[in-house]
Amino acid sequence: MPTVLREPINLLGLGTAELAELVGTWGGKPFRAKQLQRWIYQRGVDSFGDMTDLAREFREQLARHCTVKALDVATEQRSSDGTRKWLFDVGKNNAIETVFIPEDDRGTLCISSQAGCTVGCPFCSTGYQGFNRNLTTAEIIGQLWYAKRELEADVQSARLDDTAASSTRVISNVVMMGMGEPLLNYDRVLGALRLMLDDNAYGLSRRRVTVSTSGVVPMMDRLGRDCPVALAVSLHAPTDALRDKLVPLNRKHPLSELLAACNRYLEHAPRDFITFEYIMLDGINDADEQARGLVEIAKQVRCKFNLIPFNSFPQSGLKCSPPARVRLFAQRLLDAGVVTTVRKTRGDDIAAACGQLAGDVKDRTRIRERLPNQGTIVINEERE
Ligand code: SAH
Ligand code: SF4
């Protein structure tokens, strides 16, 4: 670790060991790294001068060489129902989005892992944008760091000091369902997940952190070994012929491989289940035949289904299944004993939907014109 630095080191995103090594270069003991982590992540402090239980000399070293910096916010929107959305600038006129979805018993933050996505699913506006770049660990965890600070500042200013508000964390769950395919940016996402779980950082239980993947089989195996958080798999079709079209990655990792990987994953999380996400596309994947196919899949993997009404956009040429069809499809699964939920839509006034996030700042106005009144998807995760 260099001791003479031109660019300040961003402490955001450094793991406990890396931070301990850095602190060690100034003769600091490893527990100093933990103290520092608690200041940064739990108290959201970015000014070293305010870290009052650290020795003055240490604070001065930190101020000389380091910084705590999340991405810059380009815009912020608030829905009347409490949903919040931040657009973060990732440079070169690209942006990523982060969405906070409050519910009665939880607060879910939906974060992005890449600017754009290479998988190119035809129903996803992120896929339509192509791929710009992977986010760094600092940029991924920085979304949580920033959102937590903002939300807690709001709670404080509203003087919400009743027991319920003060005993519940503002952000209780994190889902990697924003822009990008998290398992195609594995190492950086893993760094961020570890910080989410680390007791000196966010201390979330692994079941309150969900990674959503379109099915990057080798990386599902690695995640199972490294950090078996809750896993959501974007299934969308019960056969290879259909899934090849809806999730192009299926041509590389077909269903049989994907389902086997799900079962291997569950070996690392024996009491868990896989959440299969299934987007409802009118006339494409919403017939009884597909429902029967899903029932067969549910016999092979311990799972639940989350049906997602498609948020349409003209470019896609696709339509959402009518509500009655979604209900009937869900009923077919429920009748066969498969646990099934349907995602609700809300936050109509700020046009935010996980998986439908469009980040190009320059193109933003045009995208919003194309997507009038799209609602925010409410994540119906299993309650914990
Ligand atoms: N790349 C990962 C995670 C991000 S997408 C994945 O595909 O799982 C998160 C979820 O949003 C996925 O289940 C995806 O299928 C869904 N999604 C994408 N586009 C959507 C749209 N237009 N309407 C509704 N859900 C969408
Ligand atoms: Fe990428 Fe997921 Fe969108 Fe597919 S649905 S293009 S994998 S972000």
Side-chain angles (χ1 to χ4, degrees):
M1 199 68 69
T3 46
V4 181
L5 300 157
R6 293 203 181 109
E7 283 278 308
I9 299 175
N10 191 0
L11 299 188
L12 209 58
L14 292 191
T16 315
E18 291 167 300
L19 204 54
E21 193 185 332
L22 180 66
V23 166
T25 61
W26 300 313
K29 297 256 162 37
F31 80 91
R32 293 278 173 225
K34 293 183 178 168
Q35 261 181 313
L36 198 47
Q37 272 189 321
R38 289 197 289 270
W39 276 110
I40 295 170
Y41 299 106
Q42 296 177 1
R43 301 195 208 175
V45 171
D46 57 356
S47 157
F48 299 112
D50 293 343
M51 300 182 180
T52 44
D53 60 357
L54 302 181
R56 185 183 310 156
E57 201 181 315
F58 181 41
R59 281 187 265 159
E60 284 167 2
Q61 292 274 27
L62 289 167
R64 254 197 308 280
H65 300 296
C66 305
T67 182
V68 176
K69 185 148 177 34
L71 286 164
D72 291 328
V73 172
T75 63
E76 185 194 326
Q77 287 171 281
R78 288 170 195 238
S79 157
S80 51
D81 67 13
T83 301
R84 298 267 294 263
K85 185 174 78 169
W86 295 274
L87 191 70
F88 290 98
D89 183 357
V90 295
K92 300 192 178 152
N93 289 320
N94 285 289
I96 52 115
E97 291 186 350
T98 306
V99 180
F100 175 68
I101 306 145
E103 292 175 89
D104 290 345
D105 60 345
R106 61 170 57 197
T108 303
L109 192 72
C110 176
I111 66 179
S112 297
S113 56
Q114 299 179 309
C117 184
T118 54
V119 179
C121 304
F123 52 80
C124 173
S125 72
T126 302
Y128 267 95
Q129 288 166 54
F131 178 69
N132 175 243
R133 70 172 175 86
N134 282 325
L135 300 185
T136 63
T137 297
E139 291 167 339
I140 298 167
I141 204 71
Q143 296 168 61
L144 174 52
W145 182 81
Y146 187 90
K148 181 175 185 284
R149 262 171 48 130
E150 290 286 294
L151 294 165
E152 286 181 353
D154 270 13
V155 169
Q156 287 223 326
S157 64
R159 293 186 205 284
L160 282 181
D161 58 357
D162 59 289
T163 335
S166 52
S167 63
T168 312
R169 291 184 208 202
V170 183
I171 298 172
S172 60
N173 296 58
V174 177
V175 295
M176 301 223 54
M177 293 185 185
M179 292 167 68
E181 169 47 60
L183 297 189
L184 288 177
N185 185 16
Y186 186 80
D187 290 337
R188 284 132 167 193
V189 165
L190 180 65
L193 293 174
R194 287 192 163 139
L195 286 167
M196 290 174 206
L197 269 47
D198 192 316
D199 281 340
N200 293 300
Y202 293 109
L204 292 168
S205 86
R206 61 172 193 86
R207 287 202 183 87
R208 288 180 179 269
V209 175
T210 301
V211 166
S212 175
T213 181
S214 54
V216 190
V217 164
M219 295 302 154
M220 287 165 66
D221 284 327
R222 279 187 65 186
L223 188 67
R225 284 194 298 269
D226 292 341
C227 190
V229 293
L231 189 66
V233 172
S234 293
L235 194 64
H236 307 320
T239 61
D240 281 324
L242 185 55
R243 196 164 189 272
D244 280 354
K245 292 191 192 118
L246 294 180
V247 187
L249 196 65
N250 195 69
R251 294 174 208 153
K252 198 168 175 193
H253 302 297
L255 273 171
S256 57
E257 270 187 40
L258 178 63
L259 300 182
C262 289
N263 282 325
R264 287 195 299 275
Y265 194 89
L266 291 176
E267 285 170 20
H268 298 281
R271 295 205 320 277
D272 288 14
F273 53 86
I274 302 290
T275 299
F276 284 128
E277 296 164 281
Y278 195 89
I279 196 160
M280 297 300 297
L281 296 166
D282 188 27
I284 307 266
N285 67 351
D286 62 351
D288 285 356
E289 185 192 340
Q290 277 93 37
R292 281 194 293 275
L294 298 189
V295 170
E296 289 310 307
I297 286 176
K299 288 179 187 160
Q300 298 167 54
V301 179
R302 202 163 63 246
C303 67
K304 60 161 267 193
F305 274 88
N306 196 196
L307 306 182
I308 313 173
F310 169 60
N311 284 285
S312 73
F313 54 104
Q315 246 181 337
S316 72
L318 300 163
K319 278 198 307 189
C320 181
S321 311
R325 184 67 228 164
V326 176
R327 277 198 299 276
L328 195 63
F329 197 88
Q331 199 56 52
R332 296 269 183 267
L333 298 179
L334 289 165
D335 289 347
V338 180
V339 180
T340 306
T341 53
V342 179
R343 275 188 199 170
K344 285 184 226 123
T345 300
R346 49 180 260 197
D348 286 5
D349 50 340
I350 62 164
C354 286
Q356 200 199 19
L357 305 178
D360 186 323
V361 175
K362 267 190 173 166
D363 197 32
R364 191 68 202 142
T365 328
R366 217 155 38 77
I367 284 168
R368 300 203 61 211
E369 278 164 12
R370 285 200 308 267
L371 299 171
N373 273 335
Q374 295 299 313
T376 298
I377 290 173
V378 173
I379 320 289
N380 285 330
E381 295 302 311
E382 195 70 2
R383 306 279 146 178
E384 200 208 337

